[in-house]
Amino acid sequence: MSFIPLSQPDITDAEIDAVVNTLRSGRLSIGPRQARFEELLADRTKRRHAIAVSSGTAGLHLALLSLGIGPGDEVITTPFSFIASANCILFVGAKPVFVDIDPRSLNMDPTKVEAAITPRTKAILGVEVFGNPTHMDRLAQIAGKHEIPLVEDCCEGLGGTHMGRPIGSFGRVGVFGFYPNKQITTGEGGMIVTDDDNIAGLCRSYRNQGRGDMLGRGTPTSASPHDSRAGSWLAHERLGYNYRLSEINCAMGIAQMERLDQMLAARCRVAGLYMQRLMDFPDLILPNMGVDPNCEGSSWFVFVVRLCDLYGQVERDRIIEGMRRHEIGAANYFPCIHLQPFYRRQFGCAPGMFPIAESISQRTLALPFHNGLDETQVELIALTLKVMLDREKLLKR
Ligand SMILES: *Cc1c(COP(=O)(O)O)cnc(C)c1O
């Protein structure tokens, strides 16, 4: 058996054929595949609008821009996430205000969110970390009470539900990402979802060089963008970007969406194998998705275990190294955002500011997780992890 990677995209002939057909169609950008991919995401999340963009990060940028957030504004978010969920706040010149997390769900602690609201708070940006939607309903309530929007960074939660509602339907605006380690991939790509016509129109315009009016008209899907007679094509209403997603990517996305339920079931199966195999490891805290044990409604993004307090960052990092030496891809998901070199330098962030997030992020460890993992591989990973844990214990004697 060779190296077991941390993640691996699930690509079949359906995706390959879809891409080849697109190449043969001659229409490579702004076409029917974008419209269809958007429709599939809007349906799945029960939202009026879906706007395809070039990445989850681009989508978060446009979400904040379309809400009118800018310099002088504060946005409350989590220090325990992928860095893009805080960086997007900086893209628009606003200030990220971090709050500590709840140790069970690893998501922002709603009580601390409410305590952090000031007159300058212009949004709450919540993340379903590792696909766990716990507290998103509470964040929506708090945002509603204070009359500020909730931005849902649902990049890790496609296909999941919470309190009977799809992930992606909680925020004024939600954003998905389709990087190759996500539940579905388009290589690179993202999707903004919202019920708000105004936000949708602005996002459509911003992704396409600021073309068009508030309804997104002048962003031709039928008129060829190469046709100089398409008058509005050269009218730029606002400072925009090129955050479009090509037809090639959208073709992949359609094929992946058609297999989403099947892929979520495969991820559930792998998570179940891990749960069963690791249940009896006394030094591990297993992921708590906050949903029922049959996986109903959950969308597994990664499989992250936490070492108990006997172990620290040094031991955790050595375990990751050891697993890699045994050809098993493991990783330290996530290092705290506020302790990244850039945030320390720019904002004077330092250890001790968010003790729960910091303590947890020193002890978390992502194990290989993808649709095709089988029992033998999970057994190999579990055995290797056990040896590494025992080894660390002996070293401490
Ligand atoms: C993946 C991810 C993003 C960014 O998505 P990209 O498509 O890689 O830009 C943003 N936020 C979170 C929480 C993510 O996991």
Side-chain angles (χ1 to χ4, degrees):
M1 210 175 318
S2 54
F3 192 83
I4 305 176
L6 182 63
S7 79
Q8 196 165 44
D10 182 345
I11 302 300
T12 65
D13 284 345
E15 286 78 8
I16 294 168
D17 291 346
V19 166
V20 171
N21 288 338
T22 309
L23 293 175
R24 293 193 201 286
S25 79
R27 186 77 174 248
L28 300 187
S29 190
I30 317 181
R33 288 165 179 89
Q34 174 186 292
R36 178 65 187 145
F37 188 33
E38 291 177 340
E39 189 179 34
L40 287 170
L41 261 292
D43 285 352
R44 183 74 191 206
T45 55
K46 298 197 165 74
R47 309 233 57 173
R48 272 168 67 79
H49 304 280
I51 301 103
V53 286
S54 53
S55 71
T57 306
L60 288 167
H61 182 190
L62 296 194
L64 294 188
L65 264 184
S66 67
L67 289 166
I69 293 165
D73 297 339
E74 294 176 357
V75 178
I76 295 173
T77 193
T78 173
F80 188 72
S81 174
F82 182 61
I83 195 155
S85 63
N87 280 353
C88 63
I89 300 166
L90 300 176
F91 296 164
V92 298
K95 181 183 170 206
V97 174
F98 295 113
V99 300
D100 213 344
I101 61 173
D102 144 37
R104 268 178 67 77
S105 65
L106 309 185
N107 288 331
M108 272 193 290
D109 181 337
T111 336
K112 291 175 183 157
V113 169
E114 192 146 29
I117 292 176
T118 74
R120 284 187 300 280
T121 308
K122 290 293 149 53
I124 298 170
L125 194 154
V127 184
E128 281 101 355
V129 173
F130 305 149
N132 186 337
T134 308
H135 304 319
M136 204 44 92
D137 57 321
R138 292 272 311 276
L139 295 185
Q141 266 168 20
I142 294 168
K145 179 174 148 197
H146 292 268
E147 298 183 334
I148 51 175
L150 172 67
V151 177
E152 188 181 354
D153 176 348
C154 35
C155 285
E156 304 189 355
L158 179 65
T161 58
H162 180 47
M163 325 282 284
R165 285 168 61 185
I167 289 180
S169 70
F170 288 87
R172 174 90 53 89
V173 49
V175 180
F176 292 100
F178 308 127
Y179 184 75
N181 69 340
K182 314 279 184 187
Q183 284 89 335
I184 71 162
T185 184
T186 57
E188 296 284 356
M191 191 73 73
I192 302 167
V193 292
T194 184
D195 291 331
D196 187 310
D197 299 344
N198 196 43
I199 289 173
L202 282 171
C203 287
R204 288 201 175 95
S205 175
Y206 281 132
R207 83 166 161 192
N208 192 15
Q209 308 284 10
R211 290 183 169 100
D213 61 17
M214 293 294 290
L215 294 171
R217 284 187 301 232
T219 53
T221 50
S222 50
S224 165
H226 314 297
D227 186 347
S228 60
R229 287 166 303 176
S232 59
W233 188 249
L234 290 178
H236 303 272
E237 295 291 334
R238 51 189 64 81
L239 177 63
Y241 303 83
N242 178 357
Y243 283 169
R244 296 184 304 259
L245 189 63
S246 85
E247 287 285 286
I248 304 164
N249 301 98
C250 291
M252 252 185 99
I254 295 167
Q256 292 259 292
M257 278 306 283
E258 282 165 357
R259 297 174 51 236
L260 176 61
D261 287 317
Q262 177 198 324
M263 293 199 290
L264 292 180
R267 296 176 94 82
C268 237
R269 182 189 58 83
V270 176
L273 290 176
Y274 268 128
M275 285 293 201
Q276 224 170 29
R277 191 59 188 77
L278 300 178
M279 204 165 51
D280 304 325
F281 283 39
D283 296 345
L284 285 189
I285 298 159
L286 297 181
N288 162 34
M289 288 284 276
V291 288
D292 83 317
N294 295 324
C295 280
E296 202 169 329
S298 68
S299 177
W300 287 88
F301 169 52
V302 283
F303 197 89
V304 174
V305 297
R306 187 178 356 147
L307 309 177
C308 71
D309 290 348
L310 290 175
Y311 306 84
Q313 185 161 11
V314 174
E315 291 79 15
R316 191 273 315 266
D317 290 347
R318 213 155 39 208
I319 291 170
I320 291 177
E321 269 312 302
M323 307 263 310
R324 287 187 183 154
R325 268 202 309 277
H326 285 87
E327 313 236 275
I328 294 169
N332 59 331
Y333 278 12
F334 289 115
C336 282
I337 296 175
H338 69 285
L339 298 181
Q340 294 289 352
F342 168 71
Y343 280 79
R344 289 188 192 225
R345 277 200 314 273
Q346 194 87 358
F347 303 102
C349 294
M353 292 174 84
F354 307 102
I356 301 174
E358 290 167 25
S359 154
I360 285 174
S361 90
Q362 289 170 5
R363 293 182 177 79
T364 45
L365 163 67
L367 298 175
F369 192 69
H370 45 87
N371 307 1
L373 274 188
D374 63 27
E375 257 182 275
T376 314
Q377 289 171 312
V378 169
E379 178 66 21
L380 193 65
I381 294 162
L383 277 178
T384 312
L385 179 57
K386 178 150 191 349
V387 171
M388 295 299 153
L389 289 165
D390 289 347
R391 187 173 176 278
E392 289 302 329
K393 254 195 190 149
L394 286 177
L395 287 175
K396 277 183 186 297
R397 291 245 181 99

